[in-house]
Amino acid sequence: MRQNPWKLNPAPKDPSHEVLNSIIKRVQTHVMNMIYLANSRDDVEKGDPKVGGHPSACSSALHLLSSLHLVVKNPQDFMAIKPHASPVDHTNSYLMRLLLEKDGTQMSGERARLAMKNLRHFSHNGEPVFQSYHSSLDPDHWNTIPSGSVGIPPVQALYLAHAYRMADKHGYSVPQDAHFWCLMGDSEFREGSLSEAMPEAAERGLGNLTWILDYNRQSLDGHRVLNEEGLGGKDNDRADKMMAANGWEVTQLRHGKFRQEIFSKNSNGEALQNVIEGLPDYEFQALLASQNAKQVADSFAKYDQGAKKALSDLSDKDVLRLLNDLGGHDTDLVIEALRASKEDSEKPHFIVAHTIKGWNLRCSAQSTNHSAMLEEDEVHDLRDRCGLKSKDLYAFEYFDEKSSEGQYLKTRAEWVLEGINTSKKLKQGNISELREQVKTSGALENFPKQIGINLKFVPLIHTQWMIGQLSAKLTRIAETSLNEKELKENQKPLGEDERKLKPIAQAFITMAPDVGTSTNLNSTLDGRIFGHEAEDFEEEYGVKDSKAPNIVPHENARSRFIRFDIAESNTMSCVGSYGKMADYTGVPFMPLMTVYDFFIKRALDQYFFSAYWNSSFICVGTPSGISLSPEGAQHGWKSDIQIANSITWEPAYCQELDWIMTESFRRHLHTIVDGPDSPHSNTGRSAVIIRCVTRSIEQKEMLKRLKTHKRFEGKTDEDIMESTRLDCLEGGYYLVDHRGQDGYRPSENVVHIFTMGTMVTEALIASDKLKGKGIFANVIQVSSPDLLLGNNADKHNYKHLREGLGVTGDLFVQFQQASQEKVRQQTNGSYPPALYAPKPFDTLTATPAGAAQMMTVSGRRIPIVSIHDGEPGLLDNIGGAVGTLQKALATRKHSKCGRPSDIYAYHGLDSDSIVKACNTALEESALGTLRIDTALAQAFQAQAQPRA
Ligand SMILES: Cc1ncc(C[n+]2csc(CCOP(=O)(O)OP(=O)(O)O)c2C)c(N)n1
């Protein structure tokens, strides 16, 4: 691996307090201006929903965010900010002229102004706009983690900070000293996602992470009125203690410098400080709202006469100044705290910044200010107060370049831009190195088709077992040197395909929420857990079990398994953040997590987030559905979901799983080296869910069935498997294909069974039973419901279903037996050809007497029966998509414990139920009596084509 070339000039000198605060004043003015314009459009249509924007929530975060943007943050740092404060970020970027075009160049002043005008607008003609909350569509999205759902982005930032740490320890080149800044609201801070992640940061030594609490004591519904007595303190104290207990270094930014001065100089300063710090939050809010010095004095007197006395030494104006002087608005203190939070390289930091919601606005500290909007005159008033003379609300004035503010902003912006470009270069360097590596091995043009596991000696196995085998092989590849001279004793040199898989094997990171061993990941975790070095006490005390995986963590390059306790949401966040590393840094991490499928639901918000974030990862849900029946009813439901940019797979055979994993790796790699527009990229499908089970099936059944297909006659096993692989990767393949066999008549005796995953066993039994009764039941194994029938199929109008598999709603007709005879006589025995032996379904209608001129035909569209262990909606649109009748057998009730065969019968998913559904489908799909003139029959004869 190359030397890390990261190098950045030192940051410019800090601005003076005055210059910084003058800039911040304008930031607030433009923020209010942009929100006002967003809500005062002349193109509003009747019934349009409100636009909104959050003036008060922006104002409480004003000094915190501006201090980061304008002074503390390095260009390679990341921010995860409460969604509704995004206008503050945009305006800081705007004033630094750091709104960027897609090619990374600075936007012209005119286009940047347009963006400021276009908060929450839809861009019709490529004009720049800002989304409502942080998004990669924004022109200042650089290293900003998208937001919207509160409580998730700070956790994503935490695991991105972890991914940076691992990349560094593994010898990849990542920007040095990158810090991860997260700002959250006090109501947000009650989110379970945050609590779940709290112990993680300190445990994993993330000194590169700072969480900042915007403690404004208000939420959407008003002041936060808490039972402080019950809580044993105020909420900021609770947060403080909780974070400290989780290993975070905590700083409370309670008081501004004015307060601090009074506390230290006034003889009753200490009493005053105690009263202020102990005042119930709700009461403090009411006093802030009243802005009445006498009420403040009366209130303080209730608690301590000394405090009242301290106030009596101050003018009314200063009493109010004191009341309003919170640490979160004092930039000197904010900057100091932010910088101090970076000092300990192993300890995460938590800053409780006491702020005022609606700071400097008329709605300041008003209970209902969360969605309050400014009137136009207040916007003008703010403009006046920061010296902007014009009444033009579209002006969004920059500072004069000659002013101190203008000069500082220009210097800072140049430095930030230099950092952005340096980061981009570093990423490009990583990608070029990877490209070179994969090109040399031939992997780019000719990626292996499979990882390759020998299944000959393990005939009866399951897909979860296969996950373990595939992971183990990747681990071996990662740990085997390409240089044969460096091979260790007993190490086999890598084969050609294995050499091609080497870069991906090295980037393959596995993780699990305490189900690593139970989901067969033993080999990836054995002695390879990435974590703070620990002493091996088992070894020391002679109790090491050599058969059990070694669970002592290390932070070396060999350690690629991230161990979690039972924390599905954390693991899901982690897999998502690791899957973004290639996009941010060019480090090709390919993360895979295993989770009991049922619990994907528990982390669905995090899964959604990562899919929205275009992260590239694999989530293996295993075991899944009612097929884990011995484990009980409570787990027996699959997390069947359809989310944009997500692809779901459910292999039946282990071979399929190998193809699917390899295909995911191939697309991941191509996305990095060729970009998201490459036809081989994972665009639109980068979040991968693979369903596995612990129910074993005969693996050789797959090829055995495939070899019976007419279309495969004379083909080699390799040809057959290759053709099946291609179909599998398109979403489905024929496992049983009766097409072309004698007696196969779509008009009367054919049904398609669509099955998925382990239910293939039941489908095959049913197909065999039906065959015995003269019914040709094809079995189509759906490898990916999404590709065949979901979002990814809709994109190309179900192409594989209709064209690849030839499943259509075509109406197949034929003359009925009696009519056949008649036509045969009339056409001197030449039509219709005696193609078929009579079958039970031939006798549906008798030709009525006296209708000598008429022939009766029968027919149907091939009906469909689907069978899967999951929610009905997953496969029940096949009939609708092609226009034929479908019966969907699926899980429709809660389950019980038992053997799979009992449980499938209980749910109506056993082979008998499939047979029954097929018979019903054939009956119901029969065409009504249709008579045609014999003359037409003769015309048919003239046009008759040989049957395919
Ligand atoms: C998960 C989630 N739930 C609800 C919301 C809607 N919401 C947006 S902001 C907000 C209130 C936030 O209050 P707080 O966290 O105290 O931040 P403040 O606005 O006071 O700074 C709510 C409920 C959301 N965006 N995400």
Side-chain angles (χ1 to χ4, degrees):
M1 257 169 235
R2 71 200 173 118
Q3 195 87 28
N4 190 343
W6 178 259
K7 198 160 165 278
L8 188 64
N9 287 324
K13 205 167 140 282
D14 285 358
S16 68
H17 175 89
E18 288 67 32
V19 166
L20 178 62
N21 281 277
S22 159
I23 299 172
I24 292 177
K25 214 165 165 183
R26 191 169 296 191
V27 170
Q28 188 182 32
T29 303
H30 284 352
V31 165
M32 299 310 142
N33 199 146
M34 82 191 288
I35 297 175
Y36 175 78
L37 286 182
N39 286 281
S40 319
R41 299 218 165 106
D42 42 21
D43 61 351
V44 179
E45 288 173 16
K46 222 172 157 188
D48 271 353
K50 71 170 179 151
V51 177
H54 297 84
S56 61
C58 284
S59 299
S60 66
L62 179 67
H63 298 89
L64 300 166
L65 292 180
S66 300
S67 298
L68 277 170
H69 280 289
L70 300 172
V71 185
V72 178
K73 187 173 90 72
N74 286 328
Q76 70 273 32
D77 290 356
F78 278 77
M79 292 176 93
I81 304 304
K82 64 176 189 176
H84 42 307
S86 59
V88 182
D89 292 321
H90 301 325
T91 308
N92 272 292
S93 302
Y94 170 80
L95 285 178
M96 282 188 281
R97 297 180 188 257
L98 283 176
L99 300 190
L100 305 180
E101 298 286 1
K102 284 202 181 90
D103 64 3
T105 56
Q106 280 168 290
M107 223 172 233
S108 69
E110 199 184 327
R111 279 179 53 85
R113 256 192 302 279
L114 208 55
M116 295 296 281
K117 188 180 140 249
N118 283 341
L119 173 66
R120 301 180 169 209
H121 228 8
F122 185 84
S123 173
H124 289 281
N125 300 306
E127 69 275 22
V129 297
F130 287 119
Q131 301 298 302
S132 47
Y133 305 128
H134 300 98
S135 153
S136 62
L137 300 169
D138 291 333
D140 61 344
H141 66 85
W142 172 255
N143 283 6
T144 300
I145 295 179
S147 64
S149 284
V150 307
I152 307 278
V155 185
Q156 298 301 147
L158 185 159
Y159 290 111
L160 202 52
H162 187 256
Y164 263 62
R165 183 182 177 104
M166 185 196 272
D168 197 35
K169 302 264 179 196
H170 280 202
Y172 289 104
S173 299
V174 284
Q176 293 301 287
D177 200 26
H179 201 82
F180 295 78
W181 305 98
C182 310
L183 178 97
M184 54 207 96
D186 43 14
S187 179
E188 174 179 2
F189 200 65
R190 290 287 179 108
E191 278 283 5
S193 48
L194 298 176
S195 313
E196 182 170 316
M198 257 167 222
E200 290 278 303
E203 232 188 330
R204 299 188 191 274
L206 302 181
N208 53 350
L209 179 71
T210 302
W211 278 8
I212 308 160
L213 181 61
D214 180 356
Y215 192 74
N216 60 27
R217 301 158 304 283
Q218 291 189 238
S219 63
L220 188 151
D221 282 339
H223 298 316
R224 301 183 63 230
V225 185
L226 308 179
N227 174 3
E228 291 171 359
E229 208 181 320
L231 268 183
K234 299 202 297 188
D235 213 35
N236 70 75
D237 299 319
R238 184 191 63 86
D240 181 330
K241 281 187 274 186
M242 189 161 64
M243 292 298 269
N246 280 293
W248 297 62
E249 196 69 44
V250 182
T251 304
Q252 290 257 9
L253 263 182
R254 293 177 200 271
H255 311 295
K257 285 194 297 301
F258 180 68
R259 277 189 185 178
Q260 286 179 356
E261 199 184 322
I262 307 260
F263 296 158
S264 65
K265 289 200 175 143
N266 192 296
S267 55
N268 286 300
E270 200 180 330
L272 186 61
Q273 181 171 357
N274 288 340
V275 168
I276 291 181
E277 290 183 6
L279 208 60
D281 277 351
Y282 184 26
E283 184 170 5
F284 181 59
Q285 286 301 110
L287 289 173
L288 278 177
S290 84
Q291 291 296 311
N292 180 323
K294 182 169 178 316
Q295 284 183 334
V296 176
D298 290 348
S299 153
F300 286 17
K302 277 190 310 192
Y303 299 100
D304 192 322
Q305 285 299 321
K308 184 179 180 182
K309 213 149 173 299
L311 292 187
S312 66
D313 297 337
L314 303 176
S315 66
D316 281 1
K317 198 168 151 222
D318 278 350
V319 168
L320 295 181
R321 186 175 167 200
L322 179 98
L323 186 78
N324 288 279
D325 188 34
L326 295 179
H329 296 292
D330 188 319
T331 49
D332 295 340
L333 302 178
V334 168
I335 290 168
E336 194 179 280
L338 293 172
R339 286 207 167 125
S341 79
K342 286 181 66 174
E343 269 165 24
D344 190 334
S345 65
E346 289 291 305
K347 224 172 169 37
H349 212 109
F350 180 57
I351 299 173
V352 186
H354 294 245
T355 58
I356 297 176
K357 192 155 174 172
W359 181 90
N360 195 37
L361 300 178
R362 290 177 196 164
C363 66
S364 169
Q366 301 294 318
S367 187
T368 54
N369 65 11
H370 186 82
S371 14
M373 291 294 146
L374 272 68
E375 298 291 342
E376 187 174 347
D377 72 307
E378 189 175 3
V379 181
H380 286 298
D381 187 37
L382 284 168
R383 289 176 57 80
D384 270 359
R385 283 198 270 147
C386 66
L388 297 171
K389 300 275 179 280
S390 124
K391 293 277 175 219
D392 180 6
L393 293 185
Y394 294 99
F396 290 108
E397 295 89 342
Y398 289 114
F399 281 98
D400 182 339
E401 282 197 11
K402 292 198 190 73
S403 66
S404 309
E405 293 89 342
Q407 280 177 11
Y408 175 73
L409 288 168
K410 188 161 182 289
T411 324
R412 168 108 185 143
E414 280 166 1
W415 180 72
V416 173
L417 211 51
E418 181 205 333
I420 292 178
N421 290 330
T422 308
S423 303
K424 283 184 182 166
K425 262 194 230 138
L426 188 77
K427 172 180 163 180
Q428 279 319 317
N430 287 339
I431 292 176
S432 303
E433 191 187 19
L434 180 69
R435 183 181 288 118
E436 205 41 52
Q437 230 178 326
V438 289
K439 222 174 136 195
T440 315
S441 70
L444 207 53
E445 302 80 32
N446 204 357
F447 199 74
K449 291 176 176 158
Q450 57 185 16
I451 295 161
I453 303 293
N454 187 351
L455 300 173
K456 278 206 184 100
F457 305 109
V458 276
L460 190 69
I461 44 170
H462 50 71
T463 42
Q464 181 174 295
W465 174 89
M466 186 67 170
I467 279 288
Q469 295 300 305
L470 295 168
S471 307
K473 179 149 184 189
L474 288 166
T475 302
R476 179 174 70 73
I477 294 173
E479 292 177 4
T480 307
S481 173
L482 289 174
N483 182 348
E484 296 199 5
K485 288 192 191 116
E486 291 172 6
L487 293 182
K488 298 190 195 110
E489 217 184 326
N490 296 331
Q491 231 177 5
K492 228 172 63 186
L494 296 180
E496 195 188 327
D497 272 2
E498 291 172 341
R499 295 172 85 87
K500 291 180 186 170
L501 288 167
K502 175 96 176 160
I504 208 80
Q506 280 176 315
F508 184 59
I509 311 294
T510 51
M511 57 192 83
D514 201 20
V515 292
T517 50
S518 59
T519 56
N520 289 55
L521 288 184
N522 282 21
S523 54
T524 67
L525 69 77
D526 181 19
R528 298 174 177 88
I529 294 175
F530 184 82
H532 255 230
E533 304 282 334
E535 240 178 281
D536 190 340
F537 287 117
E538 287 174 292
E539 190 70 54
E540 190 179 329
Y541 294 109
V543 291
K544 200 94 178 158
D545 177 356
S546 59
K547 290 198 197 81
N550 183 347
I551 38 82
V552 178
H554 302 279
E555 286 202 324
N556 56 29
R558 185 172 177 257
S559 306
R560 295 192 184 85
F561 183 89
I562 306 172
R563 187 180 176 190
F564 285 86
D565 281 316
I566 311 173
E568 286 81 10
S569 301
N570 283 345
T571 319
M572 193 65 90
S573 284
C574 184
V575 83
S577 291
Y578 269 71
K580 278 303 282 186
M581 280 298 275
D583 194 17
Y584 286 129
T585 65
V587 172
F589 280 162
M590 173 80 261
L592 174 144
M593 73 179 275
T594 53
V595 54
Y596 291 174
D597 187 82
F598 180 76
F599 300 119
I600 291 180
K601 281 195 181 72
R602 184 163 296 195
L604 205 47
D605 205 2
Q606 286 77 358
Y607 178 81
F608 178 92
F609 185 96
S610 296
Y612 172 79
W613 199 16
N614 281 323
S615 172
S616 175
F617 63 92
I618 300 174
C619 171
V620 179
T622 184
S624 57
I626 56 165
S627 299
L628 53 72
S629 48
E631 294 223 28
Q634 219 274 304
H635 295 17
W637 195 265
K638 250 178 33 206
S639 301
D640 293 329
I641 45 176
Q642 267 202 63
I643 292 177
N645 191 31
S646 176
I647 181 168
T648 311
W649 298 94
E650 192 162 334
Y653 293 98
C654 292
Q655 181 58 63
E656 286 172 63
L657 178 58
D658 189 348
W659 292 334
I660 290 163
M661 286 263 282
T662 311
E663 174 71 351
S664 307
F665 293 159
R666 184 181 79 89
R667 286 182 179 270
H668 176 76
L669 210 55
H670 273 287
T671 312
I672 303 169
V673 298
D674 299 334
D677 295 332
S678 146
H680 304 286
S681 79
N682 60 15
T683 300
R685 47 190 289 181
S686 71
V688 178
I689 290 188
I690 304 176
R691 256 46 176 274
C692 294
V693 288
T694 46
R695 183 182 180 227
S696 301
I697 58 172
E698 287 283 355
Q699 299 299 316
K700 61 178 189 305
E701 189 72 19
M702 183 185 190
L703 184 59
K704 193 178 121 198
R705 295 281 179 168
L706 291 171
K707 283 171 105 163
T708 64
H709 299 191
K710 270 259 182 280
R711 64 199 172 112
F712 288 146
E713 266 175 16
K715 301 269 191 238
T716 62
D717 289 0
E718 287 70 34
D719 287 344
I720 294 173
M721 289 308 269
E722 176 57 6
S723 167
T724 307
R725 182 183 76 90
L726 294 173
D727 278 348
C728 167
L729 296 181
E730 291 290 334
Y733 65 91
Y734 278 94
L735 183 60
V736 173
D737 187 354
H738 291 301
R739 288 177 299 175
Q741 291 185 4
D742 281 349
Y744 182 90
R745 274 181 289 183
S747 57
E748 64 184 44
N749 60 7
V750 177
V751 57
H752 291 315
I753 301 176
F754 281 75
T755 183
M756 203 163 66
T758 186
M759 301 311 302
V760 80
T761 301
E762 280 60 37
L764 288 176
I765 297 172
S767 173
D768 291 346
K769 283 182 183 168
L770 287 161
K771 186 77 192 302
K773 293 182 187 166
I775 296 171
F776 291 80
N778 296 314
V779 177
I780 296 167
Q781 149 64 9
V782 180
S783 46
S784 167
D786 174 68
L787 267 185
L788 193 69
L789 305 158
N791 287 337
N792 272 301
D794 186 70
K795 281 180 200 158
H796 39 72
N797 204 16
Y798 306 91
K799 194 164 185 285
H800 185 58
L801 178 70
R802 291 177 204 270
E803 295 170 26
L805 301 176
V807 175
T808 68
D810 289 352
L811 179 62
F812 293 88
V813 291
Q814 66 152 350
F815 291 104
Q816 285 198 350
Q817 207 180 344
S819 295
Q820 280 181 34
E821 215 29 63
K822 203 178 292 172
V823 177
R824 188 178 292 280
Q825 287 160 13
Q826 288 179 4
T827 58
N828 298 325
S830 64
Y831 193 86
L835 288 172
Y836 318 113
K839 287 285 176 301
F841 291 93
D842 253 350
T843 52
L844 287 177
T845 1
T847 310
Q853 253 41 53
M854 305 303 279
M855 305 282 100
T856 306
V857 298
S858 66
R860 54 171 50 77
R861 296 177 167 84
I862 300 178
I864 287 167
V865 169
S866 63
I867 156 92
H868 69 282
D869 174 358
E871 294 173 19
L874 209 58
L875 293 190
D876 70 359
N877 66 335
I878 314 171
V882 298
T884 189
L885 182 128
Q886 177 180 359
K887 300 275 167 201
L889 306 183
T891 319
R892 294 176 192 271
K893 59 185 178 186
H894 292 297
S895 200
K896 291 183 176 180
C897 265
R899 260 200 328 258
S901 53
D902 297 328
I903 294 305
Y904 295 148
Y906 174 70
H907 287 273
L909 299 178
D910 57 332
S911 59
D912 285 343
S913 303
I914 303 173
V915 168
K916 199 167 147 209
C918 288
N919 283 328
T920 312
L922 279 165
E923 269 165 33
E924 289 180 9
S925 59
L927 191 66
T929 304
L930 177 67
R931 302 223 192 91
I932 61 165
D933 198 296
T934 47
L936 190 58
Q938 283 167 358
F940 284 164
Q941 182 200 9
Q943 287 185 14
Q945 310 249 333
R947 283 179 86 229

